[in-house]
Amino acid sequence: MSRVNKSRSRRLRTAGVVLALAAGIALAAPTAAQASGTGIAWSHGAGGTTGLGVYGSGWRVDSVRVSHGDGVFTNYCGFQSKAWGTLSINGSYSATFGYTAGCTPAPYYNDKTIGKTFKNATNMYGQSYHDGGWAPGVPSVQILA
C-alpha cells in the first residue's frame, strides 16, 4: 500500500472512531424537553429498556409516559411506574402511579398528568416496577426552555 493510501486509511479510521464516540455520547445524554422529549435506558440485559416520554412546553411538564419491556415475551405482575424531578419552586416532585394488580404481557406503559413547572436545566427521571422490584435502568429527559 502506498504512503498516500496508508495515510488516508489512518485518517478515515480516526474519523470513524471520533464519529462513533460522538454518537455514543449523544445516545447516552438526556434529551431536552422543550415541547416534548424522550429518554431511554437499558434494563434487564440485551433488548430490555425503560423509556420516558415528557410532554409539555418550556419548563412546564404537562404529562409523562414511562414504558418498559425486556425484549422477550414475558408477563409482568403488579407493575407500576414512578417519575421525579426538581420543581421551579417548593422543592422536588415525585409520583408513583399506574399500579396494575395481576399479570399482563410485556411491554407496558403508564401515563401520568403532572401540570407543574420544573427548574430549568434539571432532569426528569422515570422508572418501572414489576414482579416485586424496581427495574434497573433509569431514563432521563432534561428540562430546558
Side-chain angles (χ1 to χ4, degrees):
M1 189 181 282
S2 73
R3 259 190 188 156
V4 172
N5 286 342
K6 283 182 183 178
S7 177
R8 183 172 184 220
S9 176
R10 188 179 350 224
R11 281 194 313 261
L12 289 173
R13 278 195 313 265
T14 301
V17 168
V18 169
L19 286 173
L21 287 173
I25 291 168
L27 289 174
T31 59
Q34 294 176 1
S36 63
T38 57
I40 192 164
W42 294 111
S43 183
H44 300 303
T49 59
T50 300
L52 172 66
V54 176
Y55 308 97
S57 179
W59 302 333
R60 181 175 173 81
V61 173
D62 296 322
S63 64
V64 296
R65 171 174 281 186
V66 178
S67 60
H68 184 70
D70 283 346
V72 295
F73 180 79
T74 188
N75 284 321
Y76 289 138
C77 301
F79 66 85
Q80 60 186 318
S81 300
K82 69 178 173 181
W84 67 96
T86 304
L87 295 171
S88 62
I89 54 173
N90 297 329
S92 62
Y93 171 86
S94 180
T96 302
F97 53 96
Y99 179 77
T100 302
C103 300
T104 189
Y108 72 87
Y109 66 88
N110 289 314
D111 294 328
K112 173 71 174 165
T113 300
I114 295 177
K116 297 194 180 290
T117 302
F118 286 77
K119 188 173 181 180
N120 187 36
T122 61
N123 288 342
M124 179 68 111
Y125 300 92
Q127 193 171 16
S128 292
Y129 177 98
H130 62 85
D131 298 294
W134 289 100
V138 177
S140 65
V141 174
Q142 191 173 39
I143 307 299
L144 289 174

